[in-house]
Structure formats: structure tokens, C-alpha cells
Amino acid sequence: FGGQFGWFYGLAFIPLAEVFAIEFTVPVWTAVLAVFILGERLTVPRVIAIGLGIAGMLIMLRPGLEVIKPASLAVLGGAICYALAHTMTKKLAHIDSPLCILFYMTVIQLPLGLNPALYDWRTPSFDAWPWILVVGVTALSAHYCITRAMQLIDATVVIPMDFLRLPLIAGVGFLLYEEPLEWAVLIGALVMFTGNYISIRAEKK
């Protein structure tokens, strides 16, 4: 819940590119936490995948040096929360099914989100409900896929693949919204794919 709150808070106050740039530190925090909490090995291919993922992200986003804003710190805190959630999901994946983990996650998050929302309640318009439904269904589907993946392989292998969201988002923007595909996005995506390919090949061996 803390990860989602930090992400949405950042969306309201800082540019989208900056939100994604900070959020994509999640694999780094996850790799560190997985070593200490789960006892996973931080092998050379996994380090390469994380490093190339960060490099690809920086190539695509080309972040500049700016004054650190409170919203940026909120997104960074959210990234750490996401990393801890991923790590503990991996721990739970040995005990419970993905649907069981997902069920209790939503049950716990409901009062956490509802109680503060009641203080400043705004009923969504009729036109907004289909989009809210899409966000809810796809978010739960994404959590299910991650939890299922955690059952099959180490968190330090699963989470670097999350970097692929950025080139996928660029592709959706190009196809649906006619946003131009910049050379930086294509090169950054290639760097990310290379890192993931190295990691997956090593795990397969």
C-alpha cells in the first residue's frame, strides 16, 4: 500500500518520466533485500541484468540534475516499499498460493485505503468507472503474475524483468497515441533486453 501511495503521489506532483526513473530502482532494492532476507545469491549475471536495466532506463529517460522534491522522496520510499513487498511475496510463495496471497493483500489494503479516503471523499463520475475497473483488474493480474513467477524462480531474476515495462509503455504510446519513438527509447530497450537475456540464459544453464 505504501508503494502504491508513493507512486500515485508522485504522479500528481512530478513529471511521469521522473516517476518511472525513481520507481525503476525497485530491482536494486529487491536484489539487496533478497540477499539479506531470503538468502539468495547475487550472481554476476543477476548483477549484470540489474546494471543494464538501470543503464537502459537512464538512456531512455535521460534524467537531469534537479532539486530533490518531497514527491520524489515519496516515490523513492514507494520503490523501497515495493521491493520489500516483492521480497516478502517470494517468502510467502513457498507457503501459500498466488490467489491466497492476492486475496489477503487486497483485504488488508481495503481499510488502509478506505479510511483516509473517507476524509476527502469524491465519488467518481460514471465515465470514470470503466477505467477504474480496468486499472483494478490489470493491477490484480499483474500482482498475480509476479507472485506466480516468485514461486518458480528467485526474486533477483523476476524483478529485473520489470524494466521491460518502460519500452512496452513506449510501444503502447506509439501505437495508440501516436507518440514518437525516440532513438533513446529504442537503444535503452535494447540494453534492457540484453541484460534480461544474459540473466535468463544463465538461470537456464
Side-chain angles (χ1 to χ4, degrees):
F1 178 78
Q4 292 182 40
F5 180 84
W7 194 77
F8 278 112
Y9 185 83
L11 285 178
F13 295 103
I14 59 178
L16 186 61
E18 188 174 340
V19 172
F20 275 97
I22 299 171
E23 187 204 3
F24 275 81
T25 60
V26 170
V28 178
W29 304 120
T30 303
V32 173
L33 291 172
V35 170
F36 290 102
I37 296 177
L38 303 177
E40 293 186 2
R41 295 181 302 111
L42 198 58
T43 62
V44 173
R46 295 177 183 181
V47 172
I48 291 173
I50 294 171
L52 290 180
I54 294 173
M57 171 196 70
L58 294 175
I59 291 171
M60 283 193 279
L61 299 180
R62 291 162 290 174
L65 297 176
E66 296 181 358
V67 177
I68 297 178
K69 308 178 186 71
S72 300
L73 295 177
V75 177
L76 180 60
I80 296 172
C81 288
Y82 272 128
L84 182 58
H86 290 323
T87 305
M88 299 313 297
T89 296
K90 173 64 178 178
K91 198 174 185 69
L92 287 172
H94 293 295
I95 305 169
D96 297 310
S97 69
L99 286 176
C100 179
I101 295 171
L102 199 61
F103 173 78
Y104 282 109
M105 183 192 76
T106 53
V107 167
I108 292 170
Q109 287 188 359
L110 178 60
L112 289 176
L114 181 61
N115 288 333
L118 291 176
Y119 286 102
D120 189 29
W121 183 260
R122 299 287 188 276
T123 301
S125 65
F126 180 78
D127 294 338
W129 278 107
W131 297 111
I132 293 173
L133 182 63
V134 169
V135 170
V137 170
T138 53
L140 288 175
S141 301
H143 279 294
Y144 175 82
C145 291
I146 291 176
T147 305
R148 179 66 180 135
M150 294 287 192
Q151 286 187 319
L152 302 175
I153 201 165
D154 286 352
T156 45
V157 178
V158 174
I159 301 305
M161 298 183 73
D162 192 47
F163 281 124
L164 298 178
R165 274 194 299 140
L166 206 50
L168 288 174
I169 289 169
V172 169
F174 174 75
L175 294 174
L176 298 183
Y177 303 108
E178 298 181 354
E179 295 180 356
L181 276 177
E182 299 181 2
W183 63 267
V185 173
L186 299 176
I187 295 177
L190 180 61
V191 172
M192 287 183 179
F193 276 113
T194 302
N196 281 286
Y197 178 77
I198 292 172
S199 177
I200 292 171
R201 286 277 297 180
E203 296 300 325
K204 186 177 180 180
K205 291 180 181 179

